[in-house]
Amino acid sequence: MELLTIGTFARASRLSPKALRLYDELGLLMPARVDPVTGYRLYDPAQLERARLVAWLRRLGMPLARIREVCELEPEAAAQRVRAFWAEVEADTASRRDLATFLIDHLSRKDTTMPSTSMTIRYAALSDTGLVRESNQDTAYAGSHLLAVADGFGSSGAPASAAAVDALKPLEIGEALPAGDLLNVLEDAIEQANRAVHAAAGSETSGTTLTAMLWTGSQLALVHIGDSRAYLLRGAEFFQITTDHTIVQSMVDQGRLTPEEATTHPQRSLLLRALSGAGQAAPDIRLHDARPGDRYLLCSDGLSAVVPPGDLRRVLAEATTPEEAVRELVALANRTGGPDNVSCIVADVSSEGRDHTGSGQ
Ligand code: MG
């Protein structure tokens, strides 16, 4: 069989000779033979398939180190890796889209005078071990400026979720935050939380979700990573205002699973993003306009995985106080068998000027 020169091989594989020389040096795609006299690289036509795969993966933006791994795998495992890589790309794009939304929101507010109506929140938090788990790895905290739910995982899940929430608590201090600093304040707080989780988790496999709202007096800044959730009951409408960072959610987004299939998928709790201290945290950050009468629910998956949205909505619509709502929601989760730790925070926005006392934990 005749070996191909680098020029011919480059044309056939749509890789440049320069790229081929680099891939040789990196051990990604080595020529079948190097002429000992001229030093020319010669390629076997059978190597074209691998070369084309490399070219396609480069076009996807996959880093060379990962391409090398994919090339070593059997087709099915390789497909799995490409799927996982693409899910990461989409999650990253989604997070940058959220940042763009935040900035557009933030910049367009600069010219408008905010209404001076003062709003307050009344809130309650409840976290329960559930009926199956031996310990509670969730952390729920509600205060006059901060609402936060974190769901720890791994052997150090409990300290990890507590550390993430503790790192946000300094944001409780002081009255309204300067709006212009909000993004930086949140970003710093999340970085702080990520480092605190790393210190508390102490292992590669522990970490936590974090869904938190910072109350500025008229707006809620929402920070979210993982599969804990925030919902809003506004009048008759009930929305989930966070998107789960899970493999199954990304499959739903790609149209490869229906939302119904996702609720029973065996890998439904596999997270795409979380706070683990590994690398930079990539939370969604969003600014949300609150209105008097809004009722917010923050919860861990111990609630949302077992209680259907219709029941969440009914409890939120019927409960007269946040305290009653959180008690009823935890009871509902436990009535399904309480398979997981369950945490809920319910917060009501009201336009009354009086200070409401809430009960947090
Ligand atoms: Mg959980």
Side-chain angles (χ1 to χ4, degrees):
M1 150 211 43
E2 201 170 330
L3 295 180
L4 306 175
T5 64
I6 193 166
T8 311
F9 191 75
R11 275 190 299 282
S13 63
R14 312 220 172 163
L15 289 164
S16 68
K18 190 175 161 203
L20 285 172
R21 283 191 285 272
L22 173 68
Y23 300 162
D24 177 14
E25 281 159 24
L26 295 174
L28 176 59
L29 185 60
M30 290 178 326
R33 198 166 85 83
V34 178
D35 189 298
V37 180
T38 60
Y40 288 165
R41 293 167 168 86
L42 296 164
Y43 292 84
D44 188 325
Q47 291 183 288
L48 271 175
E49 191 177 332
R50 181 174 177 135
R52 288 186 180 124
L53 179 60
V54 171
W56 289 328
L57 292 172
R58 284 303 285 160
R59 211 176 296 174
L60 279 188
M62 186 182 276
L64 290 172
R66 292 179 72 167
I67 292 180
R68 185 164 48 206
E69 289 169 16
V70 171
C71 287
E72 297 304 329
L73 295 171
E74 294 299 319
E76 196 178 324
Q80 193 67 40
R81 286 291 180 89
V82 175
R83 185 176 298 137
F85 169 74
W86 194 246
E88 280 173 39
V89 170
E90 294 203 323
D92 181 53
T93 306
S95 115
R96 280 185 291 143
R97 182 192 58 214
D98 284 337
L99 178 59
T101 309
F102 179 97
L103 285 172
I104 292 163
D105 242 32
H106 178 64
L107 291 168
S108 40
R109 266 164 226 280
K110 286 215 154 157
D111 294 334
T112 57
T113 322
M114 288 306 296
S116 57
T117 51
S118 99
M119 290 186 280
T120 55
I121 51 170
R122 183 186 161 85
Y123 49 84
L126 188 58
S127 186
D128 190 82
T129 305
L131 305 178
V132 175
R133 300 283 169 95
E134 282 183 355
S135 63
N136 191 351
Q137 298 198 312
D138 283 4
T139 299
Y141 173 86
S144 55
H145 288 92
L146 175 70
L147 312 169
V149 167
D151 179 350
F153 56 83
S155 54
S156 303
S161 70
V165 173
D166 280 346
L168 296 188
K169 284 184 185 169
L171 302 177
E172 273 284 19
I173 300 165
E175 282 304 297
L177 280 158
D181 290 344
L182 197 53
L183 182 60
N184 292 343
V185 166
L186 281 175
E187 209 163 54
D188 290 350
I190 284 288
E191 270 316 307
Q192 200 86 36
N194 201 30
R195 281 196 295 273
V197 167
H198 186 60
S203 87
E204 284 288 301
T205 51
S206 291
T208 185
T209 71
L210 180 65
T211 299
M213 287 177 140
L214 201 56
W215 172 241
T216 69
S218 59
Q219 292 172 319
L220 285 160
L222 175 69
V223 177
H224 165 70
I225 186 163
D227 68 347
S228 298
R229 291 180 175 181
Y231 292 91
L232 164 62
L233 181 72
R234 173 173 284 174
E237 304 222 62
F238 181 62
F239 325 83
Q240 183 182 333
I241 55 176
T242 51
T243 305
D244 294 349
H245 299 144
T246 54
I247 303 275
V248 293
Q249 181 60 46
S250 72
M251 289 165 77
V252 169
D253 295 343
Q254 292 162 24
R256 294 170 48 225
L257 266 190
T258 65
E260 294 69 38
E261 287 166 341
T263 60
T264 54
H265 195 281
Q267 294 182 318
R268 60 189 173 277
S269 59
L270 274 187
L271 296 177
L272 266 185
R273 281 192 266 164
L275 289 183
S276 63
Q280 245 197 333
D284 296 341
I285 298 178
R286 191 173 303 152
L287 206 53
H288 177 84
D289 269 325
R291 292 191 202 156
D294 281 353
R295 175 168 272 183
Y296 293 88
L297 165 65
L298 274 64
C299 67
S300 61
D301 68 336
L303 180 71
S304 51
V306 294
V307 178
D311 290 345
L312 299 180
R313 177 202 182 117
R314 181 180 49 76
V315 171
L316 290 175
E318 288 174 3
T320 48
T321 61
E323 289 80 1
E324 189 186 324
V326 293
R327 273 199 308 272
E328 180 57 23
L329 290 168
V330 168
L332 263 186
N334 284 337
R335 244 174 268 153
T336 71
D340 193 4
N341 306 145
V342 51
S343 300
C344 318
I345 295 171
V346 170
D348 288 348
V349 176
S350 86
S351 58
E352 295 167 49
R354 276 200 327 275
D355 238 351
H356 289 267
T357 48
S359 73
Q361 74 172 68

